[in-house]
Amino acid sequence: MKSIELSRSVLLVLGLCFSLQSFAQEACNAGDSRQRELQSQMMEASKTQPSVTQIIFKDYKLNETEAAEPCKNCSPPHPVVTNVNDIKGKILRYPHAPQLAFRDECLISANKNEAPTPQVSCKKNSAGKWQGTSSMGNDMCITKSFLKYQNAVISSFAGCAKIMGFEGIDYSSIYEKFSLESTFRPNYNSSNGVGSGQLVEIFIKDVQQNHRGVPFMKRIAQSTAPECEAAKIIAKKDLVNSPLRSDLCEFTRPGEGLERNVLYSLIGTETVWKKNLEPAMKDYLRAHVNHPKLSKIKTYVQTTAYGRGGIAEAKAAIRRLKGMTPDQFASTMEKPLRTRNGGLLNRYTSEIRARLNEIAARLPESISSIFKSAGGDACLTSF
Amino acid sequence: MSYFILIFALSIPLSLFGQSGASELEKNYQQFEQMKEDFFKSVINKKNLKPKLGALIRNLDELFEKTKDLELKKSKSDLSPEANQMALDLVLLEPLEQLADSKMDKKACKEAAHLNDLYESSPDDKADNRTKPVEKVIKKVCSK
């Protein structure tokens, strides 16, 4: 009996020690364990008042580490989704904090993919301004708690966007795009784009145009909804002074860069949806409003538009396929749509499918079996 | 023996249609390209942009529809690269349509140029120069 008591005490002490050291010593899911800049900037921002990161830490209870408490109920934190149709019916809903949008395993698995891409390191200069240097040597450590923070940022901002009536927000598409674009490494920077959403210059400009993204940015900045408390800090700032693509830290640094990247990705997606894609398929959406494949079609079209050359290709694909039934539309989008000049109208969706197959191979069996057919939908928590 | 002859006899018109269908697709595509090229080579200004572009789009749309019909005859499920390219090329003309339908003032010019830039959003695509012809027309129309 005494030995049981003793081992319990030892376990408690070990648990406490682990919780105290968890953020500082946490193992990397990806990257170099000596390069902990992202983790430390996130922790620093979480202590700054008032800040985007602090609000998100509080809303999503990110200071409360799971390691602090012994495991009482070892089932997964979110219910495992077993029926794809269940998820489809819930696509218009959003998870309320502290519930996260994506299953941890999906981010952990996606983050294991590596690409030889320069990464941005941000340091404060003598004037106190963040300055970024982009180099192949900056292979930053990404911990599981940092992935959870990114999950919380997306959950928070996408929830705000949903409340503000953004109709183009599709959680499955967000997961798939970020998995392909950056594998949730927020400081990737190349000619293909910057940060988690790999934003290209024209995409950033699009968000900042009065006739395009600004009305959506304003909606967030003027919101009184508690769900928008964090997002509106960035939206308000950017309505006064918009950063440029070349201001690397403004789109990568945990604190306000990584977060801006997510916000711009959402606003840009909504802009393209409302201004370009939805008008091109309004009649189709109306005619098939209750069809179960409609949300899949929306995901395909949105992800295509997000990719390189995207919007024109997505619109061309709509032009080609809107005469088809939703089942045919969705299945045709899964095949290569070749053009006479050697391109593909749906190149981006093909790239995403290839990436999802790599991710599926690393996922636990309980998710991967659904993931193979449902893609990003299988990564959504039940909400 | 007669069975093989029958199959052979049946396969000739089918394969011939396949070939003529394919060449017809190619012919339509070449005609489509030629119409576009002629338009971009012509003198375009603020005054004639709307009627000229309107006529071009009508003709291109007609060819696109014809090509889709041919495509259906050739195969019920396969979409031809020619018609896919035509669909994309028609979308790439949209910034000009937007401009033609506007007051063609400074604001409209800026917005048309922005849409054209959006249609070429990746550095990888810039090698295609696919938005260059439209960019030139916007500059020409908007500079006067």
Side-chain angles (χ1 to χ4, degrees):
Chain A
M1 193 64 182
K2 259 192 174 175
S3 66
I4 293 171
E5 287 291 323
L6 186 66
S7 14
R8 256 189 208 161
S9 313
V10 170
L11 279 174
L12 275 174
V13 170
L14 281 174
L16 186 66
C17 290
F18 184 70
S19 88
L20 288 172
Q21 294 187 343
S22 57
F23 279 128
Q25 301 293 319
E26 191 183 348
C28 307
N29 186 61
D32 185 340
S33 62
R34 290 162 301 178
Q35 300 206 39
R36 293 185 171 264
E37 184 180 302
L38 295 172
Q39 187 84 4
S40 63
Q41 283 170 351
M42 172 186 77
M43 291 313 294
E44 191 189 323
S46 75
K47 288 165 196 157
T48 311
Q49 281 187 324
S51 73
V52 177
T53 309
Q54 198 200 40
I55 294 166
I56 290 171
F57 258 63
K58 190 175 118 254
D59 287 351
Y60 290 87
K61 304 185 189 310
L62 298 182
N63 271 323
E64 299 168 20
T65 60
E66 287 161 350
E69 284 179 31
C71 177
K72 286 175 193 157
N73 175 7
C74 291
S75 62
H78 310 301
V80 175
V81 181
T82 50
N83 185 339
V84 175
N85 290 326
D86 282 353
I87 319 165
K88 284 294 168 205
K90 290 169 186 167
I91 214 84
L92 293 175
R93 301 182 196 169
Y94 67 94
H96 295 259
Q99 193 187 352
L100 297 165
F102 307 117
R103 299 169 58 82
D104 291 338
E105 302 92 321
C106 289
L107 268 73
I108 290 167
S109 175
N111 182 241
K112 294 276 185 195
N113 271 80
E114 277 180 34
T117 310
Q119 297 187 32
V120 177
S121 168
C122 292
K123 304 263 186 286
K124 263 187 186 164
N125 65 14
S126 53
K129 198 174 179 282
W130 289 100
Q131 266 192 331
T133 51
S134 188
S135 116
M136 290 295 286
N138 300 330
D139 187 16
M140 304 284 173
C141 169
I142 308 270
T143 62
K144 287 180 183 171
S145 62
F146 189 72
L147 287 172
K148 188 165 257 181
Y149 174 65
Q150 292 188 70
N151 197 348
V153 172
I154 299 169
S155 305
S156 169
F157 290 7
C160 161
K162 283 263 180 193
I163 285 184
M164 290 296 102
F166 286 24
E167 290 168 11
I169 302 301
D170 179 315
Y171 286 95
S172 181
S173 174
I174 297 169
Y175 172 77
E176 292 180 1
K177 288 185 296 195
F178 280 34
S179 296
L180 179 67
E181 293 289 359
S182 66
T183 66
F184 297 93
R185 294 173 201 223
N187 58 336
Y188 266 4
N189 175 50
S190 70
S191 61
N192 287 326
V194 63
S196 309
Q198 285 292 283
L199 311 180
V200 290
E201 191 172 7
I202 184 66
F203 188 94
I204 293 172
K205 278 187 184 165
D206 198 36
V207 172
Q208 298 166 345
Q209 294 288 310
N210 284 330
H211 72 293
R212 301 274 302 176
V214 165
F216 301 107
M217 180 91 79
K218 274 187 181 158
R219 244 194 260 176
I220 289 177
Q222 290 161 1
S223 166
T224 52
E227 286 85 351
C228 293
E229 208 189 334
K232 73 195 266 190
I233 293 177
I234 298 171
K236 272 182 172 176
K237 276 188 187 176
D238 286 18
L239 285 171
V240 178
N241 194 7
S242 304
L244 302 172
R245 156 74 171 87
S246 52
D247 302 328
L248 295 176
C249 300
E250 300 299 323
F251 292 99
T252 58
R253 181 183 64 84
E256 241 172 62
L258 171 164
E259 299 78 358
R260 176 173 288 103
N261 203 298
V262 172
L263 184 66
Y264 272 48
S265 175
L266 296 175
I267 293 176
T269 300
E270 178 67 8
T271 306
V272 170
W273 174 251
K274 292 307 274 186
K275 305 269 181 186
N276 305 95
L277 306 178
E278 194 191 47
M281 56 189 308
K282 209 162 201 157
D283 293 340
Y284 192 84
L285 294 170
R286 203 176 296 132
H288 303 286
V289 68
N290 291 320
H291 198 284
K293 277 279 160 71
L294 210 58
S295 73
K296 194 77 197 164
I297 290 172
K298 205 172 150 184
T299 303
Y300 280 145
V301 167
Q302 280 195 338
T303 45
T304 301
Y306 197 82
R308 38 181 122 125
I311 305 171
E313 263 111 16
K315 286 197 79 174
I318 293 169
R319 204 180 255 257
R320 291 294 274 140
L321 310 180
K322 69 181 178 187
M324 296 177 169
T325 65
D327 286 318
Q328 288 170 327
F329 193 132
S331 67
T332 309
M333 275 303 270
E334 285 160 13
K335 297 176 211 158
L337 288 171
R338 296 189 193 289
T339 59
R340 173 66 170 60
N341 291 352
L344 284 172
L345 292 185
N346 55 349
R347 178 175 43 182
Y348 197 71
T349 43
S350 311
E351 286 172 6
I352 281 189
R353 210 166 314 114
R355 175 57 50 87
L356 293 182
N357 286 338
E358 291 168 15
I359 296 171
R362 289 188 295 262
L363 281 170
E365 181 54 33
S366 60
I367 310 173
S368 72
S369 53
I370 311 166
F371 190 86
K372 278 169 195 160
S373 60
D377 283 347
C379 286
L380 307 186
T381 60
S382 198
F383 54 84
Chain B
M1 184 66 178
S2 58
Y3 177 70
F4 285 112
I5 293 169
L6 183 68
I7 291 176
F8 182 67
L10 278 173
S11 68
I12 292 170
L14 279 174
S15 65
L16 277 179
F17 175 77
Q19 281 175 5
S20 71
S23 64
E24 198 67 18
L25 282 175
E26 180 61 22
K27 213 174 95 187
N28 279 2
Y29 173 72
Q30 293 301 343
Q31 206 180 329
F32 185 96
E33 282 300 294
Q34 191 59 51
M35 281 179 186
K36 262 177 40 194
E37 212 174 296
D38 292 345
F39 170 80
F40 286 119
K41 276 184 188 163
S42 69
V43 178
I44 305 166
N45 53 42
K46 245 179 203 165
K47 248 186 186 171
N48 69 13
L49 174 66
K50 197 173 167 96
K52 265 194 163 184
L53 185 71
L56 173 74
I57 303 275
R58 265 193 308 280
N59 291 335
L60 294 182
D61 266 335
E62 203 177 299
L63 263 177
F64 177 53
E65 291 305 321
K66 262 191 203 170
T67 310
K68 284 200 294 183
D69 289 344
L70 269 176
E71 188 183 67
L72 261 179
K73 280 181 201 158
K74 196 168 165 255
S75 159
K76 286 265 181 256
S77 57
D78 289 344
L79 298 178
S80 69
E82 288 83 2
N84 288 342
Q85 186 69 50
M86 289 178 182
L88 180 60
D89 290 351
L90 281 164
V91 172
L92 294 175
L93 290 171
E94 283 178 358
L96 281 184
E97 285 182 89
Q98 186 181 302
L99 184 64
D101 288 337
S102 73
K103 289 180 193 163
M104 298 192 215
D105 56 7
K106 207 174 161 189
K107 185 172 170 269
C109 285
K110 199 182 150 210
E111 290 180 4
H114 179 74
L115 182 62
N116 197 44
D117 286 347
L118 277 173
Y119 283 172
E120 186 139 71
S121 61
S122 156
D124 289 355
D125 295 321
K126 287 200 172 144
D128 295 353
N129 281 332
R130 67 182 193 181
T131 56
K132 269 273 173 282
V134 170
E135 187 186 310
K136 277 184 189 166
V137 176
I138 295 174
K139 277 187 182 159
K140 227 189 280 177
V141 169
C142 292
S143 65
K144 285 168 189 167

